[in-house]
Amino acid sequence: MGSERSEPGSVRPGGRTARVRAAVLQAAGDALAERGFAHLDLADIARRAEVGKTTVYRRWGTVTSLVADLLVDMAEQSLSRTETGSLLGDLKANARLVQRTLADPRQGALFKAMIAAATCEAKTAEALHHFYDIRVEEWAHCVQQAIDRGEVPEDTDTHEVIRAVSAPLYYRLLTSGDPLDEDAADRAAEAAAAAARAGAYLRSK
Amino acid sequence: MGSERSEPGSVRPGGRTARVRAAVLQAAGDALAERGFAHLDLADIARRAEVGKTTVYRRWGTVTSLVADLLVDMAEQSLSRTETGSLLGDLKANARLVQRTLADPRQGALFKAMIAAATCEAKTAEALHHFYDIRVEEWAHCVQQAIDRGEVPEDTDTHEVIRAVSAPLYYRLLTSGDPLDEDAADRAAEAAAAAARAGAYLRSK
DNA sequence: CCCATAACGGGACCCCAGTTTCGTTAATCG
DNA sequence: CGATTAACGAAACTGGGGTCCCGTTATGGG
């Protein structure tokens, strides 16, 4: 009495428990990608993962919190970052990476579904924000290098430049039916670079 | 036999039927805004609209197709467009309009929910795309005027410039917890204007 | 003004997502 | 290696979201 009930998997996270988590997250990603966020039930995920339905309900409970866990998992696996020596080159590399990810049928659907899930619950939204914070943070360095090289003004908000590259690609993914091609990626990078050089992303208003 | 079953409301769209549609769409907007897209059932909407549950299921059937209809309804009501005489001024006006809409608790939640719904079904996605096509088309004129004034290069893709203004605002709404303030709107407008002047949105690749 | 019928609405029904129960398996510690 | 118990999983159960049936209302045409 009075003792806090800890989350399942926190006391014995090894062996079987870890295997179950991996299988369920894998199945959740598959289901999310091919069926979409709306018509998705945990029973189906349990079936795919060859795991007891009870287990899924006990450990995650709702679709949104399962997606939140999936996001935590994805945030942990970092992607490599290329360096080309110029701001435009680096931003293009970033834009191409984002574009390829979103254009891929499975990954694209997965990201759409995760964004949808994040609009439905605060916890999931937080996980999504954290995911993007990490990605943005990683790439912000290349903007800092551009500042050091004198390519862009001194107190440019480095994070904001990186976000400016992704924004049009996500906007197109969500609000238009047009395909996400390499031209779109290059245009996003060029626009962000041009705006950054012109001082549109200065920290001081 | 062989006769097509027509959608309810298409043969007798007047009087009661129109009243029911209006009440249901109103209720759907309210429910979407305050409860979110995920935990939303048509029975609850019927209750709010003081309409028979059967009616809602017969005419719309699923949450996503109800959202699609809501989008058609919203696309019909056009918003006024200001003209300031300069590209930056017009883009700022547009950015502020989008920012105020998304920052408003009810409207913001509604837009999030509609985007989420659009990721779940093709029909709804189409309705959403159409909605934005109309909005973008309306504001594209002010970019054309900027071209005529010689502010931006000749074959600038006018629609793309307008989308570039909205993109960062939507991106922030969905992927970050930061508030959508006027600074964000101004920055979006300035970035788009700077990139447009620099020729980042030329039609010819 | 009146008729044919499109569309609405109440209520019974049913299926399955989500819960509860309890027995089984295997992770961790000594 | 053996005891303890966290975590899993099969099966029975339940409640509410979604469907069906059929009577009622009121629209639009003649």
Side-chain angles (χ1 to χ4, degrees):
Chain A
M1 38 192 82
S3 70
E4 280 294 311
R5 173 132 299 285
S6 58
E7 293 281 298
S10 56
V11 179
R12 280 187 192 174
R16 179 169 62 167
T17 300
R19 220 153 43 234
V20 165
R21 186 175 113 106
V24 170
L25 292 187
Q26 173 71 40
D30 293 346
L32 229 52
E34 60 187 70
R35 313 234 335 136
F37 166 68
H39 9 74
L40 193 65
D41 66 303
L42 300 188
D44 175 54
I45 290 175
R47 229 171 295 130
R48 288 169 183 258
E50 296 181 323
V51 152
K53 178 171 76 156
T54 317
T55 301
V56 178
Y57 280 105
R58 185 171 28 228
R59 286 194 58 180
W60 291 280
T62 67
V63 174
T64 47
S65 69
L66 176 52
V67 173
D69 197 21
L70 184 60
L71 277 162
V72 170
D73 190 65
M74 290 178 66
E76 279 163 10
Q77 4 183 315
S78 175
L79 289 179
S80 62
R81 194 174 90 252
T82 40
E83 301 208 350
T84 65
S86 79
L87 178 64
L88 184 57
D90 290 353
L91 293 187
K92 268 190 180 169
N94 181 22
R96 288 282 181 97
L97 181 63
V98 173
Q99 175 257 319
R100 275 199 307 274
T101 304
L102 298 184
D104 175 71
R106 186 182 188 284
Q107 297 253 295
L110 184 57
F111 273 78
K112 274 193 198 173
M114 290 192 304
I115 289 170
T119 67
C120 296
E121 205 172 71
K123 196 83 180 178
T124 313
E126 205 181 313
L128 187 76
H129 300 164
H130 180 66
F131 173 81
Y132 283 108
D133 283 348
I134 289 179
R135 293 297 153 99
V136 169
E137 174 69 30
E138 258 170 38
W139 283 87
H141 296 325
C142 77
V143 182
Q144 184 57 49
Q145 290 169 352
I147 292 177
D148 298 341
R149 285 191 301 261
E151 279 193 75
V152 295
E154 188 69 37
D155 67 336
T156 295
D157 186 332
T158 56
H159 291 60
E160 206 57 27
V161 177
I162 297 301
R163 292 199 191 95
V165 174
S166 286
L169 300 174
Y170 277 86
Y171 187 73
R172 177 182 279 218
L173 177 75
L174 294 169
T175 71
S176 120
D178 307 341
L180 268 172
D181 49 23
E182 298 196 332
D183 284 2
D186 290 348
R187 214 180 304 129
E190 277 158 23
R197 278 194 292 266
Y201 301 117
L202 295 181
R203 279 208 169 78
S204 57
K205 172 179 167 336
Chain B
M1 39 190 81
S3 71
E4 281 292 312
R5 174 132 296 285
S6 58
E7 294 280 299
S10 56
V11 179
R12 281 185 188 174
R16 179 170 59 168
T17 300
R19 220 154 40 237
V20 165
R21 186 174 112 106
V24 170
L25 292 186
Q26 172 72 40
D30 293 347
L32 229 52
E34 59 188 71
R35 312 235 335 137
F37 166 67
H39 8 74
L40 193 64
D41 67 305
L42 300 188
D44 175 54
I45 290 175
R47 228 171 296 129
R48 286 168 183 259
E50 295 180 323
V51 152
K53 179 172 72 158
T54 316
T55 301
V56 177
Y57 279 105
R58 184 170 32 229
R59 286 195 57 181
W60 291 280
T62 67
V63 175
T64 48
S65 68
L66 177 52
V67 173
D69 198 22
L70 184 61
L71 277 161
V72 170
D73 192 64
M74 289 178 66
E76 279 163 8
Q77 3 181 318
S78 173
L79 290 178
S80 61
R81 193 174 90 252
T82 38
E83 301 208 352
T84 64
S86 79
L87 178 64
L88 184 57
D90 289 353
L91 293 186
K92 268 190 180 170
N94 181 22
R96 288 281 182 97
L97 180 63
V98 172
Q99 175 257 319
R100 274 199 308 274
T101 305
L102 298 183
D104 174 71
R106 186 181 187 284
Q107 297 253 297
L110 184 57
F111 273 77
K112 274 192 198 174
M114 290 192 304
I115 289 170
T119 68
C120 296
E121 207 173 69
K123 195 83 181 176
T124 314
E126 205 182 311
L128 187 76
H129 299 164
H130 180 67
F131 173 81
Y132 283 107
D133 283 348
I134 289 179
R135 292 297 154 98
V136 169
E137 173 68 31
E138 258 170 37
W139 283 87
H141 297 323
C142 76
V143 183
Q144 184 56 50
Q145 290 170 351
I147 292 177
D148 298 341
R149 283 191 302 261
E151 278 193 77
V152 295
E154 188 68 39
D155 68 335
T156 296
D157 186 332
T158 56
H159 291 61
E160 206 56 27
V161 176
I162 297 301
R163 292 198 192 96
V165 174
S166 285
L169 301 174
Y170 277 85
Y171 187 73
R172 178 183 280 217
L173 176 75
L174 294 169
T175 72
S176 118
D178 307 341
L180 268 171
D181 48 22
E182 299 195 332
D183 285 1
D186 290 348
R187 214 179 303 130
E190 277 158 23
R197 277 194 292 266
Y201 301 117
L202 295 181
R203 277 208 171 78
S204 56
K205 170 180 170 335

